[in-house]
Amino acid sequence: MTGAAHTARPESTRRHHGNRYGRSEQARRAVLEAADDLLVEKGFAGVTIEGIAARAGVAKQTVYRWWKSKTDILVEAFLQDLTEDLTPPDHGDLDRDLRTHLRWLAFFLGRTDAGAVFRALIAQAQHDPAFAADFRARCLDRQRAVDRLPLERAVRRGELPADLDVAAETERLVGPVYYRILVTGEPVDEDFIDGLVDAFLGGLR
Amino acid sequence: MTGAAHTARPESTRRHHGNRYGRSEQARRAVLEAADDLLVEKGFAGVTIEGIAARAGVAKQTVYRWWKSKTDILVEAFLQDLTEDLTPPDHGDLDRDLRTHLRWLAFFLGRTDAGAVFRALIAQAQHDPAFAADFRARCLDRQRAVDRLPLERAVRRGELPADLDVAAETERLVGPVYYRILVTGEPVDEDFIDGLVDAFLGGLR
Amino acid sequence: MTGAAHTARPESTRRHHGNRYGRSEQARRAVLEAADDLLVEKGFAGVTIEGIAARAGVAKQTVYRWWKSKTDILVEAFLQDLTEDLTPPDHGDLDRDLRTHLRWLAFFLGRTDAGAVFRALIAQAQHDPAFAADFRARCLDRQRAVDRLPLERAVRRGELPADLDVAAETERLVGPVYYRILVTGEPVDEDFIDGLVDAFLGGLR
Amino acid sequence: MTGAAHTARPESTRRHHGNRYGRSEQARRAVLEAADDLLVEKGFAGVTIEGIAARAGVAKQTVYRWWKSKTDILVEAFLQDLTEDLTPPDHGDLDRDLRTHLRWLAFFLGRTDAGAVFRALIAQAQHDPAFAADFRARCLDRQRAVDRLPLERAVRRGELPADLDVAAETERLVGPVYYRILVTGEPVDEDFIDGLVDAFLGGLR
DNA sequence: GGGTAAACGAGACGGTACGTCAAGTCTTAGG
DNA sequence: CCTAAGACTTGACGTACCGTCTCGTTTACCC
């Protein structure tokens, strides 16, 4: 409702230099973007706090003030990238929903920049249990809820039995996708996904 | 003229200081063991070349002469740990073989020191494509062959159709196990494995 | 709506928060005292603007508003400590006046907190010519005038010839004292001062 | 006499990169020179370990390996500068020796680069008692011994009584010089020194 | 008695230098 | 030739202060 106070000032030329009642949104965005860019350009080892600060045009202390570690930055950058709605489309048809979602998941994990960040963070979670817990709470749980949506909708529509263990069935569907992405490195192609879905749907009869 | 100086030293306390005709097996073993120990004790970040060299009582240069990186050491250490035969037992029964093998896999990945090394290396593979290729060739392919054994035997026995895509089916079985271990962190318990096997066997009918 | 909240507050706990027509004496004193305390407690390196502000319960900006540097604060703190009259007592006797004054000088420079500040400032003057000039004008000249007093009085009394170069003679008397304090670090004891005075008085005959 | 070992190698192009049996003399000299230069160019505040390392073309770690602090470097640099013999000339005449030595002392302290380092170190000694002790042991005591030489020679020659307290008399001669240099900043000119010597020689009669 | 502008607290900002750690390279002495 | 030892350059780490810059509050004077 307020916010009019600064209306007259040309937003583009103003630079934040700190004030008591809030941090610099400008600095925050620059850091997240820098971290994202560095990961994509140079890989995880190329992401350093110094590098982020330098590329963001921000003081190192500013980074340390707001983030605990470089992975903390990457988590926030990842979440930032995901602000757009990634709810899988509802075609009203389990078969189509499943194939669409798994295709999207494979594409997201394997081909997008955000997916690269995601993989790097899963990797880091192997090394650091504390980070793993944080990462799961902030990112993974949401992703898993999304992964369950196709089956949940089908249950709601009556396409699947009401007592179906949706979580477990979802794990059997996405597990192999993650396995290829994280472990074997083989491409997750159309055939693979079709095989998954066919086996799942076939097993229900 | 000086050679006699060390004559009196008991054999057990003598240390290898280089010889003209080959590398020191003593140094090699000490390095691998030190790397293993450090990983278990302090986690991946606690494994450093300096730390390994210091704990192994070996010069840094000796480490660099024989290994490209700390992950290279860990791969060799991992393989060393796996010299014993890990061929899954053949009960002559698909159902039992599958459950036994998946239980063992879950235990190995989640509860053993070697599994911890394995997870650390999979993590590293996310960050470094070159290492990923090397790691897959030296460790993963072998593991995947082992994973396929239960189904291959069943096919050979005629329990499963000869045209079954063993590789794909195996991925659907082990994928969810890796997913829990690497991604969600949930325990891979009896029920989960039973669910996997039941769904697989049920889907074949 | 809130204005009444502070009405009840006892005067002693009320804090100045600025006013249009003058600075806060409270803040000024707190800063000087904090600077003094920090120097004595932690030494010169332990005196930082941030530390002073924090200990004084004052904003950093308030410090920068009124003082150019930490040495500027220390100079003012030093002068504050010296408000009391340090005019050497006049016994009407050159011998007694000299010994008393030199003893006091040695004690002041070597044993008092103010002397510690003084030494720190002399030290700083070695590193910074601009500060040196300022320090001499604000502190040293006054001290030198005081140092000359015993001889000046003796000249006025006729104990010493009217054409005596009081300034030069004073330098020969206090110089060795400063030398011990600043350079050799040896204690300036009774014997040393007696030696100085004896030599001076003996040389006049 | 030795040194032949390296004869064949072009000395100028060889760079030391470390070996087990000794540090790099090249690095040592570069550091000392850099510290000296920085002090003269930018003053004490401009002397930083990072700056020294950068200008010397040496790694920061190398500096920290061999020196405790920047003052430690300056002490060594100062001693290096003083390798040449600074024994005051012996004219066989107390009057001449004294005037010559005090003139040289004033010049050295006030006009030479080494003197600037010396003053900076005396300043630092005010701030840090531990350094003060070290500095006195490594630099000052030697200087004080030199300062005593003119009187000691005169005693040996019989020009001065054998029971003269040479140390105390020397302090009375050099003290005022240091006082002007360190405290008042007034120039130490011919007249001032003549006054000192005259008073000293006059007081002996 | 209410408005108003200087001084205040708080603290975020871009920086510089600190002192530490590990990486990876190079050199030497000795078995 | 291989080893242990260790000095070297490089570069990131995380911390402490620097001096600057808002921001919103407090308060004494002046209308």
Side-chain angles (χ1 to χ4, degrees), chain A residues 150-193:
Chain A
L151 296 193
E152 278 173 354
R153 286 173 180 154
V155 169
R156 237 178 283 132
R157 278 194 301 262
E159 273 188 272
L160 292 175
D163 64 345
L164 186 81
D165 187 343
V166 169
E169 297 294 339
T170 300
E171 278 182 293
R172 283 175 219 145
L173 281 163
V174 302
V177 173
Y178 280 90
Y179 178 63
R180 282 212 161 178
I181 296 279
L182 297 175
V183 183
T184 71
E186 288 178 289
V188 186
D189 54 19
E190 212 74 355
D191 288 349
F192 182 73
I193 287 173

Side-chain angles (χ1 to χ4, degrees), chain A residues 136-153:
Chain A
R136 284 175 187 132
R138 290 172 68 190
C139 299
L140 255 181
D141 289 347
R142 170 171 157 184
Q143 180 58 40
R144 294 174 67 192
V146 168
D147 288 341
R148 282 192 299 267
L149 272 182
L151 296 193
E152 278 173 354
R153 286 173 180 154

Side-chain angles (χ1 to χ4, degrees), chain D residues 58-70:
Chain D
V58 144
K60 229 176 13 159
Q61 187 58 49
T62 298
V63 178
Y64 282 108
R65 202 191 328 274
W66 301 110
W67 292 276
K68 293 190 304 288
S69 61
K70 69 175 184 177

Side-chain angles (χ1 to χ4, degrees), chain D residues 3-162:
Chain D
H6 302 300
T7 312
R9 247 180 275 176
E11 182 68 22
S12 59
T13 61
R14 274 195 62 228
R15 293 198 58 201
H16 184 104
H17 280 282
N19 77 56
R20 180 179 182 181
Y21 300 91
R23 63 191 279 195
S24 165
E25 178 62 17
Q26 189 183 34
R28 184 180 152 273
R29 282 199 185 140
V31 165
L32 298 184
E33 198 170 323
D36 241 344
D37 292 355
L38 283 174
L39 185 81
V40 171
E41 281 176 27
K42 307 201 202 169
F44 187 76
V47 181
T48 65
I49 303 254
E50 298 229 315
I52 290 170
R55 177 186 277 243
V58 144
K60 229 176 13 159
Q61 187 58 49
T62 298
V63 178
Y64 282 108
R65 202 191 328 274
W66 301 110
W67 292 276
K68 293 190 304 288
S69 61
K70 69 175 184 177
T71 47
D72 194 30
I73 301 172
L74 286 172
V75 167
E76 191 168 328
F78 175 71
L79 291 172
Q80 185 89 349
D81 290 356
L82 253 51
T83 43
E84 68 265 20
D85 189 31
L86 43 58
T87 309
D90 185 347
H91 305 94
D93 173 42
L94 175 58
D95 190 301
R96 259 189 90 191
D97 274 12
L98 265 187
R99 286 179 217 272
T100 303
H101 180 62
L102 291 181
R103 265 198 294 261
W104 170 85
L105 182 65
F107 175 76
F108 167 72
L109 289 175
R111 307 275 170 204
T112 66
D113 286 354
V117 177
F118 195 69
R119 279 178 282 135
L121 294 174
I122 289 180
Q124 197 54 27
Q126 310 305 315
H127 296 147
D128 181 349
F131 169 72
D134 182 55
F135 172 60
R136 283 175 187 132
R138 290 171 67 191
C139 300
L140 255 180
D141 289 346
R142 170 172 157 184
Q143 180 58 41
R144 294 174 68 192
V146 169
D147 288 342
R148 283 193 298 268
L149 272 182
L151 295 193
E152 279 173 353
R153 286 172 179 156
V155 169
R156 237 176 282 133
R157 279 194 301 263
E159 273 188 274
L160 292 175

